[in-house]
Amino acid sequence: MMAAKTLYLGPRLKKLRRELGLTQANMASDLDISPSYIALMERNQRPVTAEMLLNLATTYRIDVADLADKDADETVARLQSALRDPLFSDIAIEPLDIEDIATSYPGMAEALLRLHTAYGEEQLVLAARREQGSVQVDSATPDPVAEARAFLAARRNCFPSLDDSASEAARNLPTFDAMKDHLAAVYGLELRLADDGLLRGSMRWHDYHRQRVLISERLDPAGRRFQAALQTAIMSQSAEVDKLVAEGRFAGENSARLARRALMSYWAAALLMPYRAFHKAAQELRYDVEALAARFSVSFEQAAHRLTTLQRPGQEGVPFFFLRVDRAGNVSKRLDGAGFPLARHGGACPLWNIHEVFALPGKVDAQLIELPDGQRYVSIARTVRAGGGGFGERSVTRSVALTCDAQHLDQLVYARSLQGTDPTPIGVACRLCHRPRCIARSAPPIGRELIPSRFRDNGVPFDFSQD
């Protein structure tokens, strides 16, 4: 007969005792044991026996399952992910040791995870500063956009606490009308659609004095739902968002404001696309962005954006990188859940399909691309439109690309159109790309000597020595 597993519940036992408002002496008296034995169990120097579990359950009228650490599995997964960092490559840590740390020393585990996240965030900020090259930057003046992006990237654009609260709220707020009723009942806010005369070009306006929230009637249904969800986030999630922002390493208040706005939008998207349901649907539909958008009644961009957040430890999806650019190549949104090189350098290569889809408005294009180092990626691109809604109203068309490592190709619906195709060679930026004879090149690569064209014209803008 197999022996029963030894059970150590020190931190959880201590947490239970404190929640009950008891001292060790009080609990010892209730359980008819000595205070020293309580202290030994809380320090994991004595196991909790089956008899003791039964005693705890009957004495305090709790379910034995309540003593289980519901967050332990997630903490183990987070620790395993953090310890895969090359920083720890020379340290051999057994899986059982990781589990022991997570369950027996949860405070130490959380401290390690916070330190590692702060380290990753600082590395991203430093990398962004180095990449500015010869541009003179006043180090005393922080770059709010770079800092906010570093904050999100260091956490792989995944915030489980926001996902959990949004999933809970989604049970009662599945529609625009449900959110409207909720805002009225809980916060005394009237939510209604309004014309541009009242909004003066805004998409949403919280008229504080009249206790009403106006949303532009020119938005499509997906846009209206998102704005209602965002207002719900602002009203209900300020404390949790402030707590997350406080963990960031921001040099300026503008950086914190951008991070706070991103987290509010994150919660709103999580309300419309709850994590577990969206993760399951993504796998069932093989990451078909259009099909996901239709199932959850959101826009293509909202669904693509949400796919970058599926990095919850233990419940990961395909890691994606998201980029949005305008016709001039300006980057207006960048989200990295995949460690893609273009996340740092932008999307300047004209051979990438994020630029080509402007000629195919509204059509999804899939492309297999290869960087100069031989790494291959899958890029799913499509145009998206913002503004408009009426005759003569200004609008802007941008392009978004959702990109992942080619090793995940067999999980994607787009594999059908890419199987057997040759990858398109692209670079991260012309000044950093050393591919020879590129007809699309706009600048020579750094450190290469141009070949004189007196006797031969090779038909490329910049011909350089390959020695």
Side-chain angles (χ1 to χ4, degrees):
M1 183 176 178
M2 185 178 294
K5 181 181 176 182
T6 303
L7 192 63
Y8 291 92
L9 298 174
R12 281 163 276 175
L13 183 61
K14 181 185 293 185
K15 180 180 179 182
L16 172 66
R17 178 174 61 78
R18 289 176 173 174
E19 286 175 351
L20 293 171
L22 301 174
T23 65
Q24 289 182 344
N26 295 148
M27 179 171 275
S29 177
D30 291 342
L31 300 175
D32 197 22
I33 57 177
S34 67
S36 61
Y37 194 77
I38 294 289
L40 290 170
M41 286 194 296
E42 288 188 354
R43 292 199 298 267
N44 277 342
Q45 294 177 346
R46 291 289 188 278
V48 177
T49 64
E51 182 182 357
M52 182 59 66
L53 274 177
L54 183 60
N55 197 2
L56 283 164
T58 55
T59 300
Y60 298 114
R61 297 179 182 177
I62 60 172
D63 189 331
V64 172
D66 290 341
L67 285 172
D69 188 352
K70 298 181 178 63
D71 298 325
D73 291 342
E74 183 171 313
T75 302
V76 170
R78 291 172 63 203
L79 276 175
Q80 289 172 336
S81 177
L83 292 171
R84 284 195 290 267
D85 192 303
L87 179 69
F88 307 116
S89 60
D90 61 334
I91 303 175
I93 304 178
E94 297 297 327
L96 286 177
D97 293 336
I98 297 175
E99 184 177 346
D100 189 42
I101 291 170
T103 55
S104 300
Y105 308 99
M108 185 63 70
E110 184 61 29
L112 173 61
L113 288 168
R114 289 186 187 182
L115 283 171
H116 181 260
T117 300
Y119 161 80
E121 189 175 341
E122 188 66 21
Q123 292 301 303
L124 288 165
V125 172
L126 290 173
R129 289 175 181 171
R130 285 195 297 268
E131 284 155 12
Q132 292 175 5
S134 60
V135 178
Q136 295 298 315
V137 179
D138 181 2
S139 60
T141 304
D143 181 346
V145 174
E147 288 195 337
R149 285 174 178 168
F151 171 80
L152 298 173
R155 293 154 180 82
R156 303 193 73 181
N157 195 33
C158 183
F159 299 88
S161 64
L162 297 181
D163 281 315
D164 288 343
S165 62
S167 295
E168 183 69 25
R171 298 175 184 175
N172 301 315
L173 304 175
T175 64
F176 180 89
D177 286 340
M179 287 182 266
K180 175 182 176 180
D181 293 342
H182 173 77
L183 289 169
V186 178
Y187 303 104
L189 289 176
E190 177 194 5
L191 178 69
R192 65 183 178 87
L193 302 179
D195 60 31
D196 196 52
L198 282 174
L199 286 167
R200 299 179 183 178
S202 299
M203 292 186 295
R204 175 180 50 84
W205 174 37
H206 180 180
D207 186 348
Y208 182 82
H209 296 291
R210 293 184 176 87
Q211 286 290 285
R212 63 183 184 180
V213 177
L214 307 179
I215 293 178
S216 175
E217 64 182 8
R218 299 190 179 189
L219 291 174
D220 61 18
R224 294 175 183 180
R225 288 181 69 228
F226 181 80
Q227 289 298 329
L230 184 56
Q231 186 65 49
T232 305
I234 292 169
M235 302 305 297
S236 65
Q237 298 302 308
S238 293
E240 181 60 26
V241 166
D242 286 345
K243 177 182 173 182
L244 291 169
V245 170
E247 297 175 3
R249 299 166 64 85
F250 300 117
E253 181 56 32
N254 283 340
S255 307
R257 287 193 182 102
L258 289 177
R260 188 174 291 107
R261 186 170 70 181
L263 293 179
M264 289 296 184
S265 295
Y266 183 104
W267 192 91
L271 179 69
L272 303 181
M273 297 166 277
Y275 192 97
R276 287 177 178 81
F278 191 78
H279 178 257
K280 181 181 179 182
Q283 293 179 320
E284 289 177 354
L285 298 172
R286 301 189 64 204
Y287 296 89
D288 186 327
V289 185
E290 289 175 299
L292 283 166
R295 177 172 293 189
F296 288 88
S297 301
V298 296
S299 70
F300 181 91
E301 182 175 348
Q302 288 168 347
H305 188 161
R306 183 61 167 151
L307 283 170
T308 70
T309 71
L310 300 183
Q311 292 305 301
R312 185 170 188 150
Q315 300 174 31
E316 296 94 339
V318 169
F320 284 104
F321 160 69
F322 175 99
L323 193 72
R324 187 179 70 191
V325 302
D326 62 20
R327 291 179 184 272
N330 299 307
V331 176
S332 55
K333 185 184 289 185
R334 179 185 296 155
L335 298 163
D336 187 19
F340 190 45
L342 292 180
R344 299 187 299 272
H345 299 288
C349 184
L351 300 178
W352 189 12
N353 67 346
I354 193 173
H355 303 290
E356 294 180 349
V357 292
F358 282 108
L360 306 166
K363 181 180 178 181
V364 176
D365 181 73
Q367 180 187 40
L368 189 62
I369 56 180
E370 183 178 88
L371 296 183
D373 62 2
Q375 188 66 43
R376 294 183 177 182
Y377 296 88
V378 180
S379 175
I380 305 147
R382 203 198 84 165
T383 56
V384 295
R385 183 170 172 267
F391 180 75
E393 292 296 320
R394 294 183 64 85
S395 66
V396 60
T397 298
R398 300 186 181 96
S399 171
V400 298
L402 195 64
T403 307
C404 70
D405 195 292
Q407 66 176 324
H408 303 295
L409 178 59
D410 61 346
Q411 299 181 56
L412 310 182
V413 69
Y414 309 99
R416 293 198 296 264
S417 65
L418 295 178
Q419 295 289 2
T421 62
D422 293 328
T424 300
I426 74 166
V428 292
C430 287
R431 298 288 285 170
L432 301 175
C433 177
H434 291 257
R435 290 190 186 279
R437 305 190 59 135
C438 177
I439 191 68
R441 181 177 290 283
S442 62
I446 296 171
R448 288 298 183 94
E449 182 179 349
L450 295 180
I451 296 176
S453 57
R454 180 180 177 186
F455 300 106
R456 181 193 297 269
D457 186 343
N458 287 323
V460 292
F462 301 94
D463 201 6
F464 54 89
S465 170
Q466 299 178 42
D467 296 334

